[in-house]
Amino acid sequence: MSMIRDLRAVVRPSRVSLRKDSGAYDTTRDPATPSAVVDCAVYRNGARVETPQPLTPHEAMRRVRRDGGFVWIGLHEPTEAEFAGIASEFGLHPLAVEDAVQAHQRPKLERYDDSLFTVFKTIHYVEHDELTANSEVVETGEVMCFTGRDFFITVRHGGQGSLRALRHRLQDDPELLAKGPSAVLHAIADHVVDGYIAVADAVQDDIDEVETEVFSPGRKGSPRGTDAGRIYQLKREVLEFKRAVSPLLRPMQLLSERPMRLIDPDIQKYFRDVADHVARVHEQVIGFDELLNSILQANLAQASVAQNEDMRKITSWAAIIAVPTMVCGVYGMNFDYMPETHWKYGYPVIMSVTVAICLGIHRTLKRNGWL
């Protein structure tokens, strides 16, 4: 089996049986509260070292230092107290530890003496029956990775972006997992970016739907402002998507182009594939933003044109109604000596003249496109 087939297969969704593994490390945590350590395992020669009981990070690292291999620890939203022991055990830099605990970081790659700290934004598309002005289109989470010579630590924030299935797919490929922590970093990066591609395709469908409705000829029944609200909401969600993708361009380029001690040379070349995918999604997101700007401007222009048409119609009918109003106003004045007031045919003549003038004005305005 070739290396590239291994790398691509490992991050593609597949049907696997998931085994629930858990571990506990923070002894101060309330026993009724689940541990932040989702999984902790030692890998040697590409295979997971099975143990009768779940390992703590300290026990796992002790086994690695004694027998070789590397440890992979997965955590979900740890507190500062929970992460302090792990940070001390693995010698993690305080600034990176602070970022990992507090979350809400932009995607980045930071190099410290004996480790790499990488932040990924995960994106999940929120299914919806109909796009409204309040629809949530994407949900974001974070995956932070500490890559060392003999350890790999993931800190996940948010309800999306679980790595359990990815861990099991990697465990099914011992040849790839034998490459060490850098193989895990590549698999996570590829997994996250593949998620971007899927979300970009789904967002494209939403934009196509909005674009079709805005430019549909003769559409009726939608309240004014509804389309503008939907477009603006979709633009906000695309902006959230952009914040996840754009900052990741530089880290992926560094991982694919610059030699690093902690990245296996056989793995590094495959980061180029991830960098290419990030660049492609970035171009898509930029295109989404520009297209939504154009759609929003077109929608506002349509609304302005519709308002102008309404004002022209109102003005036209006001001009027509002004004629009988003037005539009735004049003949409503109580003067004895007014033309045709005592003439037998005065009333029908005046009414006929009034109607003729109104019809003439109506015909002229309609011919000019005002009615």
Side-chain angles (χ1 to χ4, degrees):
M1 180 184 295
S2 67
M3 175 67 72
I4 190 167
R5 191 161 62 248
D6 292 345
L7 286 167
R8 299 306 299 161
V10 111
V11 295
R12 290 291 182 262
S14 61
R15 292 184 178 272
V16 295
S17 63
L18 300 182
R19 183 182 62 224
K20 183 156 181 140
D21 297 314
S22 62
Y25 188 57
D26 179 34
T27 56
T28 63
R29 178 184 278 270
D30 184 346
T33 305
S35 171
V37 179
V38 178
D39 201 351
C40 177
V42 172
Y43 295 89
R44 192 176 300 118
N45 298 323
R48 178 173 179 145
V49 178
E50 298 296 339
T51 57
Q53 298 294 330
L55 295 174
T56 67
H58 175 72
E59 293 169 344
M61 196 60 193
R62 187 174 59 186
R63 285 172 177 253
V64 167
R65 288 168 180 164
R66 184 186 63 200
D67 303 323
F70 74 96
V71 58
W72 180 1
I73 303 171
L75 301 100
H76 181 248
E77 298 183 353
T79 64
E80 185 175 353
E82 288 175 315
F83 201 48
I86 296 176
S88 176
E89 180 73 40
F90 294 92
L92 305 180
H93 196 279
L95 291 177
V97 171
E98 182 181 358
D99 289 345
V101 172
Q102 292 182 355
H104 304 295
Q105 305 295 316
R106 69 195 301 270
K108 60 183 178 180
L109 171 66
E110 295 178 344
R111 288 175 292 179
Y112 296 100
D113 294 336
D114 298 318
S115 65
L116 291 176
F117 178 59
T118 316
V119 177
F120 299 97
K121 283 276 191 182
T122 58
I123 298 291
H124 171 70
Y125 180 77
V126 180
E127 297 290 345
H128 44 265
D129 296 330
E130 181 182 1
L131 182 65
T132 67
N134 299 315
S135 293
E136 186 176 16
V137 179
V138 295
E139 288 180 346
T140 61
E142 291 178 64
V143 176
M144 303 173 182
C145 305
F146 293 88
T147 307
R149 183 180 57 84
D150 51 9
F151 67 86
F152 190 84
I153 302 172
T154 58
V155 181
R156 187 167 59 88
H157 291 268
Q160 305 296 332
S162 174
L163 301 175
R164 186 179 294 276
L166 178 63
R167 181 190 286 260
H168 283 274
R169 287 198 292 274
L170 276 169
Q171 290 174 175
D172 290 338
D173 194 344
E175 182 181 350
L176 177 60
L177 201 54
K179 294 293 182 180
S182 59
V184 182
L185 179 61
H186 170 269
I188 290 177
D190 207 9
H191 173 74
V192 171
V193 174
D194 282 345
Y196 293 168
I197 296 174
V199 172
D201 292 340
V203 172
Q204 178 70 67
D205 292 339
D206 283 337
I207 294 176
D208 290 344
E209 178 185 344
V210 169
E211 184 179 23
T212 300
E213 292 183 5
V214 168
F215 291 101
S216 292
R219 64 190 173 94
K220 298 179 180 179
S222 76
R224 286 194 183 158
T226 299
D227 287 334
R230 295 168 63 201
I231 297 168
Y232 185 71
Q233 175 65 14
L234 191 53
K235 184 174 174 60
R236 285 174 59 92
E237 298 295 305
V238 167
L239 179 60
E240 188 73 18
F241 194 3
K242 183 179 178 181
R243 288 172 181 163
V245 176
S246 297
L248 195 58
L249 282 169
R250 183 59 179 163
M252 291 300 101
Q253 289 174 354
L254 289 175
L255 287 171
S256 63
E257 297 171 359
R258 184 171 299 178
M260 298 182 184
R261 288 186 300 108
L262 298 173
I263 303 298
D264 189 290
D266 291 335
I267 297 294
Q268 185 175 32
K269 63 185 72 174
Y270 297 106
F271 275 104
R272 297 173 191 168
D273 183 56
V274 181
D276 288 342
H277 286 177
V278 173
R280 191 183 82 180
V281 176
H282 178 256
E283 291 174 357
Q284 281 185 281
V285 174
I286 295 297
F288 292 162
D289 193 36
E290 294 176 354
L291 181 58
L292 285 171
N293 281 336
S294 300
I295 294 174
L296 183 60
Q297 291 174 0
N299 182 71
L300 295 177
Q302 287 179 340
S304 178
V305 169
Q307 290 177 351
N308 290 337
E309 291 178 353
D310 291 344
M311 289 303 300
R312 291 199 307 184
K313 290 179 180 180
I314 293 172
T315 303
S316 300
W317 284 112
I320 294 172
I321 294 174
V323 175
T325 300
M326 182 187 68
V327 174
C328 294
V330 170
Y331 278 88
M333 300 168 65
N334 295 321
F335 291 107
D336 291 333
Y337 302 101
M338 292 188 67
E340 290 82 32
T341 54
H342 300 291
W343 183 35
K344 178 179 179 181
Y345 300 104
Y347 174 77
V349 169
I350 294 299
M351 294 302 296
S352 298
V353 171
T354 301
V355 170
I357 294 174
C358 290
L359 290 175
I361 295 174
H362 182 275
R363 182 177 180 182
T364 302
L365 292 173
K366 191 165 187 178
R367 187 170 59 245
N368 292 332
W370 282 56
L371 286 174

